[in-house]
């Protein structure tokens, strides 16, 4: 599996870089006249406490994404805990360069109100904050207990609809009936996951209800 992930990563980004046009900060590299866009991010943390100060390079992620007609896609490869420095004790450790597939999915849009997603994606149930960057997690919008009941990621299909009803702004159904793609990166190792969610409200107030 690790060899396959490396081949996928090198193929996508090698081909993309060879065909990339001028880089625009915040918008990634556009691979020539193709819909492929390359990007990425790095996150780090400085932890100051009474015993010692620790500096972390938490995540390095590479992304490939794009859209074409009724389709769009996203591939995100990530490695965690690259480097840890114990500043107080002048001690370094790290070197974890295991490549994980965080997200790998495609979307098909049926007009403006319906979407079918297939692959590995953020679970719509439990993992409330859909943003991929760790500094936006573990807040009131993504409490720890959601990770104790539902998987962060789903490998399966996700159907989403935006009804015309004024109050009901979104309804979604998630189905997984297979093994995870790169299960070591999920908080649960699962092969069954079914969920339903709905959003009620408007631009001012939005309530989300879900279960699975």
């Amino acid at each position: 599996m690790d060899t396959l992930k490396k081949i996928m990563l090198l193929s996508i980004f090698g081909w993309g870089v060879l065909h990339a046009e001028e880089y625009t900060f915040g918008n990634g590299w556009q691979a020539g006249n193709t819909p492929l866009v390359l990007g990425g991010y790095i996150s780090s943390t400085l932890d100051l406490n009474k015993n010692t100060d620790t500096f972390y390079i938490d995540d390095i992620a590479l992304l490939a994404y794009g859209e074409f007609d009724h389709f769009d896609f996203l591939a995100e490869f990530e490695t965690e805990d690259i480097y840890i420095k114990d500043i107080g004790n002048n001690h370094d450790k790290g070197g974890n360069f295991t490549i994980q597939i965080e997200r790998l999915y495609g979307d098909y849009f049926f007009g403006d109100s319906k979407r079918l997603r297939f692959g590995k994606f953020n679970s719509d149930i439990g993992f409330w904050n859909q943003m991929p960057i760790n500094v936006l997690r573990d807040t009131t919008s993504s409490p720890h207990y959601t990770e104790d009941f539902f998987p962060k990621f789903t490998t399966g299909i996700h159907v989403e609809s935006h009804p015309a009803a004024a109050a009901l702004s979104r309804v979604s159904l998630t189905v997984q009936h297979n093994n995870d793609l790169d299960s070591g990166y999920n908080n649960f190792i699962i092969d069954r996951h079914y969920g339903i969610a709905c959003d009620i409200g408007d631009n001012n107030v939005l309530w989300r209800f879900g279960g699975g």
Side-chain angles (χ1 to χ4, degrees), residues 3 8 39 49-50 85 114 117 122 137 146 187 209:
T3 302
M8 290 173 59
N49 57 53
K50 294 180 180 179
K85 181 174 182 62
K114 295 179 177 63
R117 174 166 292 178
N122 289 130
R137 296 179 182 168
T146 63
N187 55 330
F209 301 91

Side-chain angles (χ1 to χ4, degrees), residues 54-115:
T54 308
F55 174 73
Y56 304 87
I57 297 180
D58 299 315
D59 303 324
I60 295 179
L62 297 174
L63 299 96
Y65 55 94
E67 59 184 34
F68 176 75
D69 199 11
H70 293 283
F71 293 92
D72 69 19
F73 60 90
L74 183 144
E76 180 177 5
F77 301 88
E78 182 174 295
T79 182
E80 295 184 308
D81 299 328
I82 302 297
Y83 176 75
I84 302 173
K85 181 174 182 62
D86 187 338
I87 300 173
N89 298 316
N90 195 28
H91 176 67
D92 299 349
K93 66 176 183 178
N96 177 24
F97 292 98
T98 302
I99 298 172
Q100 308 282 0
I101 300 175
E102 180 163 354
R103 293 182 292 172
L104 181 64
Y105 64 80
D107 289 330
Y108 183 80
F109 293 87
F110 300 88
D112 296 328
S113 61
K114 295 179 177 63
R115 181 188 70 188

Side-chain angles (χ1 to χ4, degrees), residues 4-14 62 77 99:
L4 178 59
K5 286 185 285 188
K6 290 176 182 177
I7 292 173
M8 290 173 59
L9 186 63
L10 290 173
S11 299
I12 294 172
F13 285 89
L62 297 174
F77 301 88
I99 298 172

Side-chain angles (χ1 to χ4, degrees), residues 10-199:
L10 290 173
S11 299
I12 294 172
F13 285 89
W15 183 86
V17 169
L18 288 175
H19 295 82
E21 298 181 347
E22 183 178 353
Y23 172 71
T24 303
F25 184 76
N27 294 321
W29 280 286
Q30 182 77 42
N33 295 321
T34 73
L36 178 64
V37 180
L38 305 178
Y41 67 85
I42 181 171
S43 66
S44 61
T45 305
L46 179 61
D47 186 9
L48 305 176
N49 57 53
K50 294 180 180 179
N51 298 322
T52 185
D53 299 335
T54 308
F55 174 73
Y56 304 87
I57 297 180
D58 299 315
D59 303 324
I60 295 179
L62 297 174
L63 299 96
Y65 55 94
E67 59 184 34
F68 176 75
D69 199 11
H70 293 283
F71 293 92
D72 69 19
F73 60 90
L74 183 144
E76 180 177 5
F77 301 88
E78 182 174 295
T79 182
E80 295 184 308
D81 299 328
I82 302 297
Y83 176 75
I84 302 173
K85 181 174 182 62
D86 187 338
I87 300 173
N89 298 316
N90 195 28
H91 176 67
D92 299 349
K93 66 176 183 178
N96 177 24
F97 292 98
T98 302
I99 298 172
Q100 308 282 0
I101 300 175
E102 180 163 354
R103 293 182 292 172
L104 181 64
Y105 64 80
D107 289 330
Y108 183 80
F109 293 87
F110 300 88
D112 296 328
S113 61
K114 295 179 177 63
R115 181 188 70 188
L116 170 66
R117 174 166 292 178
F118 50 92
K120 181 180 181 181
F121 44 85
N122 289 130
S123 296
D124 197 45
I125 308 296
F127 194 48
W128 297 350
N129 192 330
Q130 298 290 296
M131 300 299 291
I133 303 174
N134 65 339
V135 295
L136 299 177
R137 296 179 182 168
D138 302 331
T139 65
T140 54
S141 63
S142 182
H144 278 291
Y145 74 81
T146 63
E147 299 180 10
D148 297 331
F149 294 97
F150 300 100
K152 287 183 178 182
F153 301 101
T154 299
T155 301
I157 61 172
H158 173 79
V159 181
E160 181 176 299
S161 176
H162 297 265
L168 186 61
S169 60
R170 189 183 74 103
V171 178
S172 71
L173 174 67
T174 302
V175 176
Q176 175 175 344
H177 197 77
N178 47 263
N179 293 328
D180 268 334
L181 177 63
D182 208 353
S183 59
Y185 198 66
N186 213 345
N187 55 330
F188 295 112
I189 298 177
I190 59 170
D191 57 9
R192 302 289 187 273
H193 178 212
Y194 312 99
I196 188 169
C198 65
D199 295 352

